[in-house]
Amino acid sequence: MTNFDNSSYKGGADAIVSFVIFEWRDEHLLGIQVNPNDASKEIICYDENVKNKVCNQTQIGQFILQPNATETSLNPIVTQAVNLKNPKPIMYEIKKTGYYCVWTYGYSAEEYRAVVTFRNAYGELPAAQIAKLAFYGGLTIVYAVIGAFWAFLYVQNRHDILPVQNYITAIVVFLIIEQLMTWGFYDYQNRHGNNVANKALMIITAILNAGRNSFSFFLLLIVCMGYGVVKPSLGKTMTYVRILAITHFVFGVIYGVASLAITPDSAGPLVLLVIMPLAATLTAFYVWTLNSLNLTMKDLLDRKQSVKAMMYKKLWWCILGSIAVIFAFFFFNSFSFASRSDPGFVPNHWKTRWFILDGWLNLVYLFDISFVAYLWRPTVNNRRFAMSDELAQDDEGFEIASFGGSLDEEEDARSPPQKTTSGGVSRERSPAAPKPMPEQHNRHSLDGETIFAVGEDGDKWSDDEESTRDSQERSRMVN
């Protein structure tokens, strides 16, 4: 609905304003090209255009349309010559979703003012943001499902929970609340419009969003440091990580509130005082996280902890893949926004612009947090896996099967060969015949499988071999 204000009308001659409303895809139906050699069009019906039979007398002051505009247009085109002496509201019924435009021109009025009110069928939310209502509602359900699976595993293995898994539990619960509040903000705005309560909800949502970012960076950093799996405690380092997370949260809240209070047109150089601290803490998180992950992986590989190293290698590929996706979207957005000066940029991208600016980042975040939760999910042997080291196995170690034989060889090398006399013939004592090796004992793992054991049987084997060797010696001396 369009309402013209007649307060600027001062009486006397009629003040005419040309008015037209149309859908963007029908823009080519406005105006008529009079001269074939000239690409310009006649847009407004003047007296001269009436003489040239471009329009008729009843259309004076209106926008000129193509002769077949009514039949070929995708949506109705309404044009009027509004007299400011007695303006009437102009109603336009929208039956199809589209990018509708209102165009006015002062035909004989020097100053005028009009108010255009768009009322959507679904509520008060702007058409460009209506998709966010379903999007954040869906994210809330997805996070709730993830939280349900995590809660099931947590309760099932509640006696074997690591400290880092408590942090993951907290962030999953926080994400459910944060996404629910975000959806509630858009739902409230759609029902009641942009009132005072909606602005309060906007501030709360901005604070929760800053908390989510800080908490996520904090969790990722302590995970990359090996907390709970490689190291049972981070010591003073945990205090420094918490200070960085709190600082990032404070700067994030300031940035969020400033972005709501300051419009891009009014932003000056002082806005850097808001952006630079947040960028500094963000950079600190990035550098510290990647450096910690590299050090943790190097430490595990040096100690030949291949299973744990594989977990962190998967985390490394997850982070690397996320960075690659972010950079790919960055270049895509750069090429996309390079054509924003094109008149058709906004009409062609208004439906998907919210996803390019905000939606896909939420999907990348959802994948990352789900992947981390999957790798560090509660299992039966959490603590035993975290607090134990894998037995290093390589080609440079000794073989258990040759252990007994090597002791015999060393003993024979130390003692010189003894000679005995039988019937005047001197002969050396032949070494004892090698005793068959006992069966190797199995190796027991943390899951009940055999890792490594040399028990009483091994000691018994040594005693038996020693007694056999002594009896053979006595028999030779007697003979």
Side-chain angles (χ1 to χ4, degrees):
M1 183 176 65
T2 305
N3 287 314
F4 281 88
D5 186 7
N6 62 352
S7 60
S8 59
Y9 178 70
K10 300 179 181 180
D14 293 338
I16 304 298
V17 175
S18 303
F19 170 87
V20 65
I21 182 170
F22 60 96
E23 208 275 328
W24 173 256
R25 292 173 295 175
D26 296 327
E27 186 268 342
H28 64 282
L29 298 177
L30 271 66
I32 295 178
Q33 184 178 355
V34 179
N35 188 355
N37 298 325
D38 188 1
S40 60
K41 293 181 177 181
E42 291 294 332
I43 302 297
I44 305 297
C45 183
Y46 291 103
D47 293 335
E48 184 178 354
N49 290 330
V50 173
K51 294 179 181 179
N52 294 331
K53 297 183 179 180
V54 177
C55 57
N56 54 49
Q57 189 67 30
T58 60
Q59 297 175 337
I60 292 291
Q62 298 181 6
F63 281 82
I64 300 175
L65 304 180
Q66 295 283 340
N68 58 346
T70 305
E71 293 78 12
T72 59
S73 63
L74 299 176
N75 293 279
I77 302 176
V78 176
T79 178
Q80 292 183 12
V82 181
N83 192 336
L84 295 182
K85 182 178 180 180
N86 187 22
K88 296 181 180 179
I90 302 174
M91 300 291 296
Y92 183 87
E93 184 177 0
I94 298 176
K95 297 181 179 180
K96 296 181 181 179
T97 301
Y99 191 82
Y100 291 87
C101 307
V102 176
W103 191 357
T104 62
Y105 175 77
Y107 179 80
S108 60
E110 297 180 357
E111 295 181 3
Y112 61 92
R113 186 176 65 178
V115 177
V116 181
T117 304
F118 286 91
R119 286 194 172 274
N120 298 309
Y122 44 76
E124 301 292 333
L125 200 64
Q129 295 185 356
I130 189 60
K132 292 183 178 181
L133 194 61
F135 179 76
Y136 285 107
L139 281 183
T140 303
I141 296 175
V142 172
Y143 280 118
V145 172
I146 294 174
F149 279 106
W150 180 270
F152 174 77
L153 295 175
Y154 189 94
V155 173
Q156 190 178 31
N157 306 283
R158 59 187 178 276
H159 300 298
D160 208 29
I161 297 297
L162 299 173
V164 69
Q165 292 171 337
N166 291 326
Y167 282 106
I168 297 177
T169 303
I171 197 172
V172 169
V173 175
F174 182 87
L175 286 172
I176 297 174
I177 297 174
E178 190 260 344
Q179 294 297 321
L180 183 62
M181 288 296 299
T182 303
W183 173 82
F185 160 70
Y186 287 108
D187 182 69
Y188 184 88
Q189 183 178 358
N190 187 51
R191 294 175 182 272
H192 305 284
N194 193 16
N195 52 23
V196 177
N198 183 69
K199 293 180 180 179
L201 284 175
M202 183 185 297
I203 295 175
I204 295 174
T205 303
I207 295 174
L208 290 176
N209 185 261
R212 180 190 70 170
N213 295 335
S214 301
F215 201 170
S216 301
F217 284 122
F218 168 80
L219 176 63
L220 183 60
L221 180 54
I222 63 174
V223 165
C224 291
M225 286 181 173
Y227 179 61
V229 176
V230 181
K231 304 174 184 177
S233 175
L234 297 179
K236 291 184 178 180
T237 306
M238 177 64 81
T239 303
Y240 299 143
V241 175
R242 289 172 178 171
I243 292 175
L244 179 60
I246 293 173
T247 305
H248 184 76
F249 169 73
V250 172
F251 290 146
V253 171
I254 295 175
Y255 174 80
V257 174
S259 63
L260 297 176
I262 301 174
T263 60
D265 297 334
S266 61
L270 293 178
V271 75
L272 294 177
L273 297 177
V274 177
I275 298 176
M276 293 303 295
L278 183 64
T281 54
L282 188 62
T283 303
F285 264 121
Y286 280 142
V287 174
W288 202 355
T289 299
L290 295 178
N291 186 54
S292 299
L293 183 57
N294 287 330
L295 292 177
T296 301
M297 292 177 62
K298 183 178 182 301
D299 176 65
L300 292 173
L301 292 175
D302 290 343
R303 296 193 290 117
K304 304 186 184 305
Q305 304 298 302
S306 58
V307 177
K308 293 181 181 179
M310 182 59 64
M311 289 179 57
Y312 284 92
K313 189 174 182 180
K314 291 178 180 179
L315 179 61
W316 167 261
W317 282 111
C318 176
I319 295 175
L320 185 63
S322 300
I323 294 175
V325 171
I326 290 174
F327 272 99
F329 267 89
F330 173 77
F331 285 109
F332 173 77
N333 292 342
S334 299
F335 285 112
S336 178
F337 281 96
S339 60
R340 63 187 180 192
S341 59
D342 185 4
F345 175 79
V346 175
N348 294 329
H349 296 86
W350 70 271
K351 288 184 179 180
T352 57
R353 191 177 181 183
W354 70 273
F355 183 80
I356 295 175
L357 296 176
D358 185 42
W360 68 275
L361 285 174
N362 281 277
L363 294 182
V364 173
Y365 180 86
L366 172 63
F367 173 80
D368 290 342
I369 195 66
S370 301
F371 190 80
V372 171
Y374 174 76
L375 287 180
W376 273 261
R377 66 192 182 276
T379 56
V380 177
N381 293 315
N382 276 330
R383 291 187 177 276
R384 299 174 67 188
F385 173 74
M387 300 308 169
S388 61
D389 284 343
E390 180 183 357
L391 289 178
Q393 300 178 8
D394 53 23
D395 296 336
E396 297 177 359
F398 59 84
E399 294 182 1
I400 299 176
S402 64
F403 184 70
S406 63
L407 290 179
D408 293 340
E409 292 175 0
E410 289 179 4
E411 183 178 352
D412 293 339
R414 286 195 301 267
S415 59
Q418 300 179 6
K419 296 182 179 181
T420 59
T421 305
S422 177
V425 180
S426 176
R427 59 179 179 178
E428 294 183 358
R429 180 174 65 89
S430 60
K435 187 174 181 65
M437 292 298 300
E439 295 183 359
Q440 293 186 10
H441 294 275
N442 296 329
R443 306 171 58 189
H444 295 280
S445 70
L446 299 178
D447 297 327
E449 299 177 356
T450 307
I451 291 186
F452 178 85
V454 175
E456 296 178 356
D457 294 338
D459 298 336
K460 183 178 180 182
W461 166 71
S462 300
D463 296 338
D464 291 343
E465 183 184 12
E466 193 68 29
S467 62
T468 303
R469 187 180 302 139
D470 293 340
S471 63
Q472 288 178 351
E473 260 187 56
R474 293 192 197 96
S475 64
R476 293 193 188 96
M477 293 293 291
V478 173
N479 295 331

